[in-house]
Structure formats: C-alpha cells, structure tokens
Amino acid sequence: MNELKYIDKIQRDDSLLSMPQSLSQMLTLVGSDDYSIEDLIKVVMNDPGLTSRILKMANSSFYGHRSEISTLHQAVMMLGATQIKCLVLSASVFQVQKLESDYNLDIKGMFTHFIGVALVSKNLADFLGHNQSEELFIAGLLHDIGQLFFIRHFPQDYMQVEERLSEFPSRFEAEQKILGIDHAAIGQMLAEKWGFPAILKDTIGGHHNSAPNIAENQTMQIIQLADLLHPYSSDDTPIKIEKRMASIGQLINLLNINHNDIETVTRNLPNEIITIADSFGIDIGDPSELLARANRELFNSFITIEHLFRERQDLSQRILIEERRAAVMETKNVAIATLSHYINNAAMAISGRAQLLKMLRDRERIIDKDDRLDNILEVVEKSLKKIMAVILELRDLTNLEEIEKYSESNAICIDDRVQSRLKELENSGEVLLPVQEAQPDK
C-alpha cells in the first residue's frame, strides 16, 4: 500500500522539511499556560541564525523605530511570539522553490495561499473574540504542511495528483485515491512527531472534516472558512467553485456571522499578504505576479458565472415547457440570487485588485510612465457601478409581480430600469463599494 512508505518516512526520518528544533520547542512552549518571554528568549538564543534575523527584522523600516533595537530581549518584546514563530517557519518550511522549476509546481501560489489562510484565520478569530488567534495564525500557515511533505520528499508521486485533479471532486479525495492517504492525515502525523500543541494537531488534521462533525468546534470552523475564502485555485472547476460557495454558507451560519463581516476581515488581505511575505522572507513572487495571478483567478470566476447562467437558463426552459409556473418562479429566484452572489463577489475582487494596483503605484512598486493608471481606475469604477446597477435590479427581479411592464406585453422594461439605477449611482458621488448579497437558499 502506498501510504506505508509515507508513514515510514515520517517515523524514521528526523530531517523532515528541515523543521528546526527551535520551532518545535517554541510551539510547545507557547502552547503551555505558564510560559514567559524569558523562556521564549532562551529557546531563540540556542539558534544564532534565528537571533540574527530577529534583530535585523526588529530594526527594519517596517516597524519605523527611531532608536536601534540592540538586544534580543527588546526585539522579542517588540515582535511578539507570533512573528518570532513565523520567522522560524520561513527559515525552514517555506524553502522548496527549486521544485517549482523541476516539477512545474506553483509553489509561490501555495505559499500565498498559506499566508492568506493564516491572516484570514487570525482576523476571523480576533473578530469573533477567540482567545487563541495567534495559534490560529500558525495553524493557518501550517494547515497544508502535508502537501509540502509530499512535494519535498515524494514530488513524482504528488505530480500524479496534480495531473489527475480534474478526475476527482477535490484534491483531498484525489490524494486518498492516488496516494492512499491525504495531506491532512500526513500533516497531523508530522505535528505529532514534532510535539506540536493540541490546537495545531487538531486543525492540521481536521481542516477537511465535514461541517456536521465540527458543529461545536469554533476553531475548526474558522480554519475551514479561511481555507475556503482564500483557496489555492489550481484545482478549481465550476462544480468545485459552486460546492465551495455552499460550504462557505454553511460555515458562516455555524459561526453566526454574515457576508458583511467576511468583507470586513478580508478587506485588506492583498496588502497584508505582501507585508507578511516581505517581513518574513517568504517568496511569493513580486507584487505584479501576485496581481496577475489574482486576475487569472478572477477570469476563471467569470467563466464559472457564465457556465452557471447557461445551466440555469436551460433548467428554466425545460420547466417552462412542462408548464410548471410555480416551480419556474422558484427556480428563477434561486438562480438570480446565486448569480447575484457570484457577480457581487467578482465585483469585490475587481475593486480589491484596483485598490491593490493603486497601492503598488503609490509605493512605487509599479511605474506609471504614461500617467494612465488614474484613467484606467476611473473606467474600472464606472464599470463596477454598472455591475452594481445590474445586481440591484436582479435583486428586485425575485418579485416579478410588483415590477412595472411594457403596456403592450408582459416584458419587463429592463434596459430603462438598469439605466435608472446607474444614474442614481452616478449622482450619488460616493466611492463604490460592492453590495453584499445574502447567501442564496440551499
């Protein structure tokens, strides 16, 4: 059985993923109830390379301190346990770039996903008043560490999973079928071998558990929602995206939050990802590559919307032929709510990327030689207003009986209505923020 060689590797090899002893000691220490800063400093001092990096980071322009941080005690007090742990992680786990060229794997995309899940997990935990937000940040960084184990130690095996993803409902199930074991199970074994605290072992091993099994586990709900909100999209298809959106709806209900809350905790995510990657030396590519990758994901989302629209049109047509008017109306309402939700998410993504682009220009990470960026962003803004006008109109279409129609037929004056909406938005003079749609009925 394939899984035996992976398990044997974990049990016998002490150099897995080059995980330094200092990280294992640190995670165990911080997971206890009675650790002190002095205890943390003692662990750090046993690693001269880590000590040097901590002092260098504490004195970086990112923190803007006027006076020099000259002692390890000052640096640890300033940075805190979370950032110290991230420094150790970035020095070891996030170092597999060579495999990107050897096996055509999107390692930088994976690292962007890890950082994104870590940030969303911490932001959600803070928003919900969870008392272990730092641990959830680390859990987010490490939730897919089983994938890194496969990629580093068995890259040819894992390429089979990458090449056959389209045959399976998810990456998780592809791993189970092809490798005999999934990355969550492998990750939990690694966490146990390294002596990680229970919260890390449980979230790494259980972040793909089904929603009914985590109904009382807020920590697992946060990690799962963060994983879904910032996906590693190489295996996305229209069916998988639709399934992911349904899972997001379930977890939002379990956590008793809404889509406005989600927008709040993810609003500055692109900027936060770039900042964390820069601060901890994790290579996710330059910002323009990150933006290009985000645009590709956005394009895939639009293709998905088109696919879903055609599907629902066909379904509505078949039901109309069968003269089931009541069923038609219900189906249209669900379709409109679903499409409005997807279009709204796409508009939010466009708005976020536009803000990121402007931020990169302001930071001089992008050179706008021809001064065309402001005009481009103005076009984006106007286009978003048109999208919002359509979304608002789609919302009202769920109650067709109250909508005014042309006098000579039952047709709706849709063009006039959209133009009226657009004029209202343009006259408001406000900066456009996408409208949050309610999750459609399941």
mmCIF file of all heavy atoms in Angstrom, residues 25 37 43 46 49 69 75 80 93 98 136 167 174 176 204-205 207 254 280 284 312 335 364 372 390 414 436:
data_model
loop_
_atom_site.group_PDB
_atom_site.id
_atom_site.type_symbol
_atom_site.label_atom_id
_atom_site.label_comp_id
_atom_site.label_asym_id
_atom_site.label_seq_id
_atom_site.Cartn_x
_atom_site.Cartn_y
_atom_site.Cartn_z
ATOM 1 N N GLN A 25 10.316 23.376 19.847
ATOM 2 C CA GLN A 25 10.377 23.793 21.244
ATOM 3 C C GLN A 25 9.512 25.030 21.476
ATOM 4 O O GLN A 25 8.807 25.140 22.481
ATOM 5 C CB GLN A 25 11.826 24.095 21.629
ATOM 6 C CG GLN A 25 12.723 22.868 21.679
ATOM 7 C CD GLN A 25 14.174 23.242 21.935
ATOM 8 O OE1 GLN A 25 14.567 24.389 21.764
ATOM 9 N NE2 GLN A 25 14.966 22.258 22.338
ATOM 10 N N ILE A 37 8.230 35.381 28.547
ATOM 11 C CA ILE A 37 9.084 35.910 27.488
ATOM 12 C C ILE A 37 10.520 35.414 27.678
ATOM 13 O O ILE A 37 11.221 35.117 26.710
ATOM 14 C CB ILE A 37 9.034 37.445 27.491
ATOM 15 C CG1 ILE A 37 7.658 37.927 27.013
ATOM 16 C CG2 ILE A 37 10.128 38.025 26.597
ATOM 17 C CD1 ILE A 37 7.342 37.577 25.563
ATOM 18 N N VAL A 43 14.969 29.859 24.215
ATOM 19 C CA VAL A 43 14.864 28.980 23.050
ATOM 20 C C VAL A 43 15.500 29.650 21.835
ATOM 21 O O VAL A 43 16.265 29.031 21.092
ATOM 22 C CB VAL A 43 13.382 28.640 22.758
ATOM 23 C CG1 VAL A 43 13.257 27.873 21.440
ATOM 24 C CG2 VAL A 43 12.792 27.823 23.896
ATOM 25 N N ASN A 46 19.384 29.722 21.447
ATOM 26 C CA ASN A 46 20.060 28.478 21.042
ATOM 27 C C ASN A 46 20.235 28.394 19.528
ATOM 28 O O ASN A 46 20.856 27.455 19.034
ATOM 29 C CB ASN A 46 19.272 27.253 21.541
ATOM 30 C CG ASN A 46 19.341 27.105 23.043
ATOM 31 O OD1 ASN A 46 20.346 27.453 23.661
ATOM 32 N ND2 ASN A 46 18.271 26.593 23.641
ATOM 33 N N GLY A 49 21.458 31.856 14.078
ATOM 34 C CA GLY A 49 20.921 32.380 12.825
ATOM 35 C C GLY A 49 19.581 33.047 13.034
ATOM 36 O O GLY A 49 19.304 34.125 12.478
ATOM 37 N N ILE A 69 17.278 48.757 17.987
ATOM 38 C CA ILE A 69 16.968 47.628 18.865
ATOM 39 C C ILE A 69 18.244 46.792 18.951
ATOM 40 O O ILE A 69 18.625 46.128 17.981
ATOM 41 C CB ILE A 69 15.803 46.782 18.319
ATOM 42 C CG1 ILE A 69 14.565 47.655 18.102
ATOM 43 C CG2 ILE A 69 15.492 45.628 19.253
ATOM 44 C CD1 ILE A 69 13.999 48.250 19.355
ATOM 45 N N ALA A 75 13.955 42.999 21.117
ATOM 46 C CA ALA A 75 13.366 42.549 19.847
ATOM 47 C C ALA A 75 12.190 41.620 20.076
ATOM 48 O O ALA A 75 11.140 41.752 19.441
ATOM 49 C CB ALA A 75 14.434 41.853 19.005
ATOM 50 N N GLY A 80 6.853 40.009 19.461
ATOM 51 C CA GLY A 80 5.848 39.110 19.989
ATOM 52 C C GLY A 80 6.030 37.688 19.497
ATOM 53 O O GLY A 80 6.758 37.407 18.547
ATOM 54 N N VAL A 93 10.376 25.704 6.660
ATOM 55 C CA VAL A 93 9.295 25.059 5.914
ATOM 56 C C VAL A 93 9.122 25.658 4.523
ATOM 57 O O VAL A 93 8.917 24.939 3.539
ATOM 58 C CB VAL A 93 7.976 25.168 6.707
ATOM 59 C CG1 VAL A 93 6.819 24.612 5.888
ATOM 60 C CG2 VAL A 93 8.098 24.418 8.018
ATOM 61 N N LYS A 98 13.009 25.244 -5.490
ATOM 62 C CA LYS A 98 13.672 24.517 -6.573
ATOM 63 C C LYS A 98 12.702 23.563 -7.268
ATOM 64 O O LYS A 98 12.768 23.347 -8.471
ATOM 65 C CB LYS A 98 14.864 23.730 -6.019
ATOM 66 C CG LYS A 98 15.676 23.009 -7.090
ATOM 67 C CD LYS A 98 16.887 22.333 -6.477
ATOM 68 C CE LYS A 98 17.738 21.686 -7.579
ATOM 69 N NZ LYS A 98 17.011 20.624 -8.284
ATOM 70 N N LEU A 136 -4.098 30.283 15.892
ATOM 71 C CA LEU A 136 -4.818 30.076 14.633
ATOM 72 C C LEU A 136 -4.036 30.633 13.454
ATOM 73 O O LEU A 136 -4.115 30.099 12.337
ATOM 74 C CB LEU A 136 -6.201 30.723 14.714
ATOM 75 C CG LEU A 136 -7.255 29.863 15.419
ATOM 76 C CD1 LEU A 136 -8.493 30.665 15.734
ATOM 77 C CD2 LEU A 136 -7.607 28.651 14.580
ATOM 78 N N GLU A 167 -10.165 14.665 -12.373
ATOM 79 C CA GLU A 167 -10.926 13.422 -12.294
ATOM 80 C C GLU A 167 -11.665 13.266 -10.969
ATOM 81 O O GLU A 167 -12.494 12.357 -10.829
ATOM 82 C CB GLU A 167 -9.989 12.218 -12.476
ATOM 83 C CG GLU A 167 -9.222 12.201 -13.789
ATOM 84 C CD GLU A 167 -8.214 11.061 -13.845
ATOM 85 O OE1 GLU A 167 -8.416 10.070 -13.102
ATOM 86 O OE2 GLU A 167 -7.230 11.168 -14.602
ATOM 87 N N ALA A 174 -8.532 13.182 -4.327
ATOM 88 C CA ALA A 174 -7.538 12.707 -5.292
ATOM 89 C C ALA A 174 -6.339 12.096 -4.570
ATOM 90 O O ALA A 174 -5.815 11.045 -4.966
ATOM 91 C CB ALA A 174 -7.084 13.852 -6.188
ATOM 92 N N GLN A 176 -6.310 10.738 -1.558
ATOM 93 C CA GLN A 176 -6.704 9.471 -0.935
ATOM 94 C C GLN A 176 -6.725 8.335 -1.953
ATOM 95 O O GLN A 176 -6.286 7.220 -1.655
ATOM 96 C CB GLN A 176 -8.078 9.629 -0.287
ATOM 97 C CG GLN A 176 -8.064 10.515 0.952
ATOM 98 C CD GLN A 176 -9.452 10.718 1.523
ATOM 99 O OE1 GLN A 176 -10.453 10.688 0.798
ATOM 100 N NE2 GLN A 176 -9.524 10.941 2.824
ATOM 101 N N ILE A 204 -4.703 20.989 11.835
ATOM 102 C CA ILE A 204 -3.990 20.451 10.665
ATOM 103 C C ILE A 204 -4.640 19.160 10.200
ATOM 104 O O ILE A 204 -4.854 18.942 9.008
ATOM 105 C CB ILE A 204 -2.502 20.228 10.995
ATOM 106 C CG1 ILE A 204 -1.784 21.572 11.169
ATOM 107 C CG2 ILE A 204 -1.811 19.417 9.892
ATOM 108 C CD1 ILE A 204 -0.385 21.463 11.737
ATOM 109 N N GLY A 205 -4.991 18.297 11.153
ATOM 110 C CA GLY A 205 -5.580 17.006 10.787
ATOM 111 C C GLY A 205 -7.045 17.063 10.412
ATOM 112 O O GLY A 205 -7.529 16.188 9.695
ATOM 113 N N HIS A 207 -8.881 19.915 9.067
ATOM 114 C CA HIS A 207 -9.399 21.079 8.332
ATOM 115 C C HIS A 207 -10.212 20.699 7.101
ATOM 116 O O HIS A 207 -10.736 21.583 6.421
ATOM 117 C CB HIS A 207 -8.264 22.041 7.952
ATOM 118 C CG HIS A 207 -7.308 21.525 6.926
ATOM 119 N ND1 HIS A 207 -6.261 20.698 7.235
ATOM 120 C CD2 HIS A 207 -7.226 21.732 5.586
ATOM 121 C CE1 HIS A 207 -5.575 20.418 6.137
ATOM 122 N NE2 HIS A 207 -6.146 21.042 5.119
ATOM 123 N N LEU A 254 -22.763 28.593 10.881
ATOM 124 C CA LEU A 254 -22.276 27.989 12.123
ATOM 125 C C LEU A 254 -21.587 29.020 13.017
ATOM 126 O O LEU A 254 -21.701 28.983 14.240
ATOM 127 C CB LEU A 254 -21.299 26.845 11.807
ATOM 128 C CG LEU A 254 -21.909 25.540 11.283
ATOM 129 C CD1 LEU A 254 -20.819 24.580 10.834
ATOM 130 C CD2 LEU A 254 -22.775 24.879 12.364
ATOM 131 N N PHE A 280 8.752 38.329 6.519
ATOM 132 C CA PHE A 280 9.303 37.050 6.953
ATOM 133 C C PHE A 280 10.122 36.344 5.880
ATOM 134 O O PHE A 280 10.528 35.195 6.041
ATOM 135 C CB PHE A 280 8.179 36.132 7.434
ATOM 136 C CG PHE A 280 7.461 36.668 8.631
ATOM 137 C CD1 PHE A 280 6.158 37.085 8.541
ATOM 138 C CD2 PHE A 280 8.106 36.791 9.847
ATOM 139 C CE1 PHE A 280 5.493 37.607 9.640
ATOM 140 C CE2 PHE A 280 7.457 37.301 10.947
ATOM 141 C CZ PHE A 280 6.144 37.710 10.849
ATOM 142 N N ILE A 284 6.811 34.886 -2.514
ATOM 143 C CA ILE A 284 5.544 34.655 -3.216
ATOM 144 C C ILE A 284 5.568 35.340 -4.577
ATOM 145 O O ILE A 284 4.533 35.492 -5.220
ATOM 146 C CB ILE A 284 4.334 35.159 -2.395
ATOM 147 C CG1 ILE A 284 4.449 36.659 -2.127
ATOM 148 C CG2 ILE A 284 4.205 34.381 -1.096
ATOM 149 C CD1 ILE A 284 3.206 37.274 -1.515
ATOM 150 N N ARG A 312 -28.679 27.348 -15.574
ATOM 151 C CA ARG A 312 -29.965 27.736 -15.008
ATOM 152 C C ARG A 312 -30.949 28.180 -16.090
ATOM 153 O O ARG A 312 -32.150 27.980 -15.947
ATOM 154 C CB ARG A 312 -29.747 28.840 -13.966
ATOM 155 C CG ARG A 312 -29.216 28.255 -12.658
ATOM 156 C CD ARG A 312 -28.479 29.265 -11.818
ATOM 157 N NE ARG A 312 -28.103 28.716 -10.528
ATOM 158 C CZ ARG A 312 -27.104 27.847 -10.352
ATOM 159 N NH1 ARG A 312 -26.389 27.439 -11.387
ATOM 160 N NH2 ARG A 312 -26.830 27.368 -9.155
ATOM 161 N N ALA A 335 -31.853 31.051 -8.914
ATOM 162 C CA ALA A 335 -30.806 31.324 -9.904
ATOM 163 C C ALA A 335 -30.342 32.768 -9.822
ATOM 164 O O ALA A 335 -29.135 33.060 -9.844
ATOM 165 C CB ALA A 335 -31.325 31.008 -11.309
ATOM 166 N N GLU A 364 5.382 53.011 -5.324
ATOM 167 C CA GLU A 364 6.381 52.997 -6.407
ATOM 168 C C GLU A 364 6.865 51.590 -6.723
ATOM 169 O O GLU A 364 7.987 51.387 -7.175
ATOM 170 C CB GLU A 364 7.567 53.903 -6.047
ATOM 171 C CG GLU A 364 7.179 55.358 -5.900
ATOM 172 C CD GLU A 364 8.363 56.267 -5.629
ATOM 173 O OE1 GLU A 364 9.481 55.734 -5.417
ATOM 174 O OE2 GLU A 364 8.165 57.480 -5.641
ATOM 175 N N ARG A 372 -1.345 56.795 -17.006
ATOM 176 C CA ARG A 372 -2.627 56.265 -17.498
ATOM 177 C C ARG A 372 -3.422 55.559 -16.405
ATOM 178 O O ARG A 372 -4.585 55.220 -16.598
ATOM 179 C CB ARG A 372 -2.374 55.289 -18.649
ATOM 180 C CG ARG A 372 -1.683 55.926 -19.857
ATOM 181 C CD ARG A 372 -1.406 54.898 -20.931
ATOM 182 N NE ARG A 372 -2.629 54.251 -21.372
ATOM 183 C CZ ARG A 372 -2.661 53.156 -22.125
ATOM 184 N NH1 ARG A 372 -1.528 52.612 -22.529
ATOM 185 N NH2 ARG A 372 -3.801 52.617 -22.485
ATOM 186 N N VAL A 390 -26.840 46.434 -12.133
ATOM 187 C CA VAL A 390 -27.442 45.166 -12.560
ATOM 188 C C VAL A 390 -27.780 44.299 -11.352
ATOM 189 O O VAL A 390 -28.848 43.676 -11.285
ATOM 190 C CB VAL A 390 -26.482 44.427 -13.516
ATOM 191 C CG1 VAL A 390 -27.007 43.024 -13.807
ATOM 192 C CG2 VAL A 390 -26.329 45.200 -14.815
ATOM 193 N N ILE A 414 -36.390 46.302 -18.756
ATOM 194 C CA ILE A 414 -35.138 46.052 -18.045
ATOM 195 C C ILE A 414 -34.072 47.091 -18.368
ATOM 196 O O ILE A 414 -33.352 47.559 -17.485
ATOM 197 C CB ILE A 414 -34.628 44.614 -18.341
ATOM 198 C CG1 ILE A 414 -33.497 44.242 -17.369
ATOM 199 C CG2 ILE A 414 -34.202 44.458 -19.778
ATOM 200 C CD1 ILE A 414 -33.947 44.075 -15.962
ATOM 201 N N GLN A 436 -23.217 43.737 -0.622
ATOM 202 C CA GLN A 436 -23.155 42.355 -0.156
ATOM 203 C C GLN A 436 -24.515 41.690 -0.362
ATOM 204 O O GLN A 436 -25.537 42.183 0.095
ATOM 205 C CB GLN A 436 -22.795 42.320 1.341
ATOM 206 C CG GLN A 436 -21.324 42.580 1.600
ATOM 207 C CD GLN A 436 -20.478 41.463 1.017
ATOM 208 O OE1 GLN A 436 -20.852 40.307 1.026
ATOM 209 N NE2 GLN A 436 -19.328 41.828 0.489
#
